[in-house]
Amino acid sequence: YRTSTNAYAIGDRIEISGLKGQVVDTDMLSTTLIESNQATALKGTVGRVVTFPNSLLLTQPVCNESMLGRFVIHTVHVNIRRDDDWQAAEATLLAAAREEVGSYSKELVKHARELQRTHGLGAPALVPRVRMVLTSHKEIELHLQLPTPINERVNVEQRILRVYLASGKRLPCAGAAQPEE
């Protein structure tokens, strides 16, 4: 099944049945990958080698992040309190993301044109954007979405988060009473 569908090849980054990582080996019965994602990083298991039976391909969807080339849309999640200045937080995230994307924008535009030409796909998002999610009456989730080189996602995210945090961990609400000095 894997061979006939070309679902993935060695070197591709895939996700299947909760496992996410880079394929390092395949054979008739199994696939081996090196785990790499944010969830495993928090558990301290990044770099763990995992082998799964190819029979999973019959019952589980496979997400191949690298099938369309070297860029993916990456999402950076930031939670803030409802009384924080979400506009300032959004502006800070977007400015940091625009600077990151600017460093590889020529290659990104070339890649997007190639995808349109070879796969007939519509133009992928080439500029960062922020989606807001109201998760509770106390929090707002900001989801910064930006195109990143597939192998640089973590580094890009870390640089953006550092810029965001350096701007002030708590961005007070515009118009809110400020403590007197």
Side-chain angles (χ1 to χ4, degrees), residues 2 8-12 14 19 21-27 29-35 48-54:
R2 184 192 59 77
Y8 55 85
I10 292 175
D12 285 353
I14 66 167
L19 300 171
Q22 185 168 7
V23 177
V24 293
D25 190 27
T26 61
D27 60 33
L29 300 175
S30 64
T31 296
T32 303
L33 54 88
I34 296 178
E35 273 193 315
R48 183 172 67 167
V49 176
V50 178
T51 301
F52 63 86
N54 288 341

Short mmCIF file of all heavy atoms in Angstrom, two decimals, residues 2 8-12 14 19 21-27 29-35 48-54:
data_model
loop_
_atom_site.label_atom_id
_atom_site.label_comp_id
_atom_site.label_asym_id
_atom_site.label_seq_id
_atom_site.Cartn_x
_atom_site.Cartn_y
_atom_site.Cartn_z
N ARG A 2 1.88 1.29 0.87
CA ARG A 2 2.76 2.46 0.96
C ARG A 2 3.46 2.71 -0.36
O ARG A 2 3.54 3.83 -0.84
CB ARG A 2 3.80 2.26 2.08
CG ARG A 2 4.68 3.49 2.28
CD ARG A 2 5.87 3.21 3.17
NE ARG A 2 6.73 2.16 2.65
CZ ARG A 2 7.59 2.33 1.65
NH1 ARG A 2 7.70 3.49 1.05
NH2 ARG A 2 8.34 1.33 1.25
N TYR A 8 4.76 8.54 1.32
CA TYR A 8 5.96 9.18 1.86
C TYR A 8 7.19 8.41 1.41
O TYR A 8 7.08 7.28 0.92
CB TYR A 8 5.92 9.28 3.39
CG TYR A 8 5.69 7.97 4.10
CD1 TYR A 8 6.74 7.11 4.38
CD2 TYR A 8 4.42 7.60 4.49
CE1 TYR A 8 6.53 5.91 5.03
CE2 TYR A 8 4.20 6.41 5.14
CZ TYR A 8 5.25 5.56 5.41
OH TYR A 8 5.04 4.37 6.04
N ALA A 9 8.33 9.04 1.59
CA ALA A 9 9.62 8.42 1.25
C ALA A 9 10.61 8.76 2.35
O ALA A 9 10.34 9.60 3.22
CB ALA A 9 10.11 8.96 -0.09
N ILE A 10 11.75 8.13 2.31
CA ILE A 10 12.79 8.43 3.29
C ILE A 10 13.15 9.91 3.20
O ILE A 10 13.31 10.46 2.12
CB ILE A 10 14.03 7.53 3.06
CG1 ILE A 10 13.66 6.08 3.40
CG2 ILE A 10 15.22 8.00 3.90
CD1 ILE A 10 14.76 5.07 3.10
N GLY A 11 13.22 10.55 4.36
CA GLY A 11 13.52 11.97 4.42
C GLY A 11 12.30 12.85 4.61
O GLY A 11 12.42 13.99 5.04
N ASP A 12 11.10 12.31 4.30
CA ASP A 12 9.87 13.09 4.48
C ASP A 12 9.53 13.23 5.96
O ASP A 12 9.85 12.36 6.77
CB ASP A 12 8.69 12.43 3.76
CG ASP A 12 8.73 12.58 2.26
OD1 ASP A 12 9.60 13.33 1.76
OD2 ASP A 12 7.89 11.96 1.59
N ILE A 14 6.48 13.19 8.43
CA ILE A 14 5.11 12.72 8.42
C ILE A 14 4.51 12.71 9.82
O ILE A 14 5.23 12.79 10.82
CB ILE A 14 4.99 11.30 7.81
CG1 ILE A 14 5.71 10.27 8.69
CG2 ILE A 14 5.51 11.27 6.39
CD1 ILE A 14 5.38 8.83 8.35
N LEU A 19 2.11 9.93 15.98
CA LEU A 19 3.56 9.95 15.83
C LEU A 19 3.90 10.99 14.78
O LEU A 19 3.26 11.06 13.74
CB LEU A 19 4.08 8.58 15.37
CG LEU A 19 3.80 7.41 16.28
CD1 LEU A 19 4.18 6.11 15.58
CD2 LEU A 19 4.56 7.57 17.59
N GLY A 21 7.40 12.81 12.84
CA GLY A 21 8.84 12.86 12.72
C GLY A 21 9.30 12.66 11.29
O GLY A 21 8.51 12.68 10.35
N GLN A 22 10.60 12.45 11.16
CA GLN A 22 11.22 12.29 9.85
C GLN A 22 11.45 10.81 9.58
O GLN A 22 12.01 10.09 10.41
CB GLN A 22 12.54 13.05 9.78
CG GLN A 22 13.15 13.02 8.40
CD GLN A 22 14.30 14.00 8.27
OE1 GLN A 22 14.73 14.61 9.23
NE2 GLN A 22 14.82 14.13 7.07
N VAL A 23 11.02 10.36 8.39
CA VAL A 23 11.18 8.96 8.00
C VAL A 23 12.65 8.69 7.73
O VAL A 23 13.29 9.39 6.95
CB VAL A 23 10.34 8.63 6.75
CG1 VAL A 23 10.57 7.20 6.29
CG2 VAL A 23 8.86 8.90 7.00
N VAL A 24 13.19 7.66 8.40
CA VAL A 24 14.60 7.31 8.20
C VAL A 24 14.77 5.94 7.57
O VAL A 24 15.84 5.62 7.07
CB VAL A 24 15.41 7.39 9.52
CG1 VAL A 24 15.51 8.83 9.99
CG2 VAL A 24 14.83 6.50 10.59
N ASP A 25 13.69 5.11 7.56
CA ASP A 25 13.80 3.79 6.95
C ASP A 25 12.40 3.25 6.67
O ASP A 25 11.46 3.54 7.41
CB ASP A 25 14.55 2.82 7.87
CG ASP A 25 14.91 1.50 7.20
OD1 ASP A 25 15.07 1.48 5.96
OD2 ASP A 25 15.02 0.49 7.91
N THR A 26 12.28 2.48 5.60
CA THR A 26 11.03 1.79 5.29
C THR A 26 11.36 0.42 4.74
O THR A 26 12.42 0.23 4.12
CB THR A 26 10.19 2.54 4.23
OG1 THR A 26 10.92 2.63 3.03
CG2 THR A 26 9.79 3.92 4.71
N ASP A 27 10.49 -0.53 4.98
CA ASP A 27 10.59 -1.84 4.33
C ASP A 27 9.18 -2.37 4.11
O ASP A 27 8.21 -1.63 4.30
CB ASP A 27 11.47 -2.81 5.14
CG ASP A 27 10.96 -3.09 6.54
OD1 ASP A 27 9.72 -3.11 6.74
OD2 ASP A 27 11.77 -3.32 7.44
N LEU A 29 7.28 -4.28 5.82
CA LEU A 29 6.41 -4.42 6.98
C LEU A 29 6.34 -3.21 7.89
O LEU A 29 5.37 -3.05 8.64
CB LEU A 29 6.86 -5.64 7.81
CG LEU A 29 6.82 -6.98 7.07
CD1 LEU A 29 7.40 -8.08 7.95
CD2 LEU A 29 5.40 -7.30 6.65
N SER A 30 7.35 -2.34 7.85
CA SER A 30 7.36 -1.27 8.84
C SER A 30 8.02 0.01 8.30
O SER A 30 8.69 0.00 7.27
CB SER A 30 8.10 -1.71 10.10
OG SER A 30 9.46 -1.97 9.81
N THR A 31 7.82 1.07 9.07
CA THR A 31 8.44 2.37 8.79
C THR A 31 9.09 2.84 10.08
O THR A 31 8.51 2.71 11.16
CB THR A 31 7.38 3.39 8.33
OG1 THR A 31 6.82 2.93 7.10
CG2 THR A 31 7.97 4.77 8.14
N THR A 32 10.28 3.42 9.96
CA THR A 32 10.99 3.95 11.12
C THR A 32 11.16 5.45 10.94
O THR A 32 11.50 5.93 9.85
CB THR A 32 12.38 3.29 11.25
OG1 THR A 32 12.20 1.88 11.34
CG2 THR A 32 13.11 3.79 12.48
N LEU A 33 10.87 6.18 12.03
CA LEU A 33 11.06 7.63 11.98
C LEU A 33 11.70 8.10 13.27
O LEU A 33 11.68 7.42 14.29
CB LEU A 33 9.75 8.36 11.69
CG LEU A 33 8.51 8.13 12.54
CD1 LEU A 33 8.48 9.05 13.74
CD2 LEU A 33 7.31 8.42 11.68
N ILE A 34 12.29 9.29 13.18
CA ILE A 34 12.84 9.95 14.36
C ILE A 34 11.82 11.00 14.76
O ILE A 34 11.50 11.90 13.98
CB ILE A 34 14.21 10.60 14.07
CG1 ILE A 34 15.22 9.52 13.73
CG2 ILE A 34 14.67 11.42 15.27
CD1 ILE A 34 16.59 10.06 13.38
N GLU A 35 11.29 10.85 15.98
CA GLU A 35 10.26 11.76 16.45
C GLU A 35 10.79 13.18 16.58
O GLU A 35 11.92 13.39 17.02
CB GLU A 35 9.72 11.33 17.82
CG GLU A 35 8.62 10.34 17.75
CD GLU A 35 7.92 10.18 19.07
OE1 GLU A 35 8.61 10.08 20.10
OE2 GLU A 35 6.69 10.16 19.08
N ARG A 48 13.73 10.40 19.63
CA ARG A 48 13.45 8.98 19.87
C ARG A 48 13.15 8.31 18.53
O ARG A 48 12.43 8.85 17.70
CB ARG A 48 12.25 8.89 20.82
CG ARG A 48 11.87 7.52 21.23
CD ARG A 48 10.82 7.55 22.31
NE ARG A 48 9.57 8.09 21.78
CZ ARG A 48 8.41 8.01 22.39
NH1 ARG A 48 8.34 7.46 23.60
NH2 ARG A 48 7.32 8.51 21.86
N VAL A 49 13.71 7.13 18.32
CA VAL A 49 13.47 6.37 17.09
C VAL A 49 12.25 5.48 17.31
O VAL A 49 12.19 4.73 18.28
CB VAL A 49 14.71 5.52 16.71
CG1 VAL A 49 14.42 4.67 15.49
CG2 VAL A 49 15.91 6.42 16.48
N VAL A 50 11.27 5.61 16.41
CA VAL A 50 10.02 4.86 16.54
C VAL A 50 9.77 4.09 15.26
O VAL A 50 9.90 4.63 14.16
CB VAL A 50 8.83 5.82 16.79
CG1 VAL A 50 7.53 5.06 16.88
CG2 VAL A 50 9.06 6.65 18.03
N THR A 51 9.43 2.82 15.40
CA THR A 51 9.06 1.99 14.26
C THR A 51 7.60 1.61 14.40
O THR A 51 7.16 1.20 15.47
CB THR A 51 9.92 0.71 14.20
OG1 THR A 51 11.30 1.11 14.09
CG2 THR A 51 9.56 -0.17 13.02
N PHE A 52 6.83 1.80 13.32
CA PHE A 52 5.42 1.41 13.35
C PHE A 52 5.13 0.47 12.19
O PHE A 52 5.77 0.52 11.15
CB PHE A 52 4.49 2.63 13.34
CG PHE A 52 4.57 3.47 12.11
CD1 PHE A 52 3.80 3.18 10.98
CD2 PHE A 52 5.39 4.59 12.06
CE1 PHE A 52 3.85 3.97 9.85
CE2 PHE A 52 5.45 5.38 10.92
CZ PHE A 52 4.68 5.07 9.81
N PRO A 53 4.14 -0.41 12.38
CA PRO A 53 3.81 -1.35 11.29
C PRO A 53 3.10 -0.62 10.16
O PRO A 53 2.28 0.27 10.39
CB PRO A 53 2.87 -2.35 11.98
CG PRO A 53 2.27 -1.60 13.11
CD PRO A 53 3.34 -0.62 13.57
N ASN A 54 3.42 -0.99 8.94
CA ASN A 54 2.79 -0.37 7.78
C ASN A 54 1.29 -0.66 7.71
O ASN A 54 0.57 0.00 6.98
CB ASN A 54 3.47 -0.81 6.49
CG ASN A 54 4.85 -0.19 6.34
OD1 ASN A 54 5.16 0.82 6.98
ND2 ASN A 54 5.69 -0.79 5.51
#
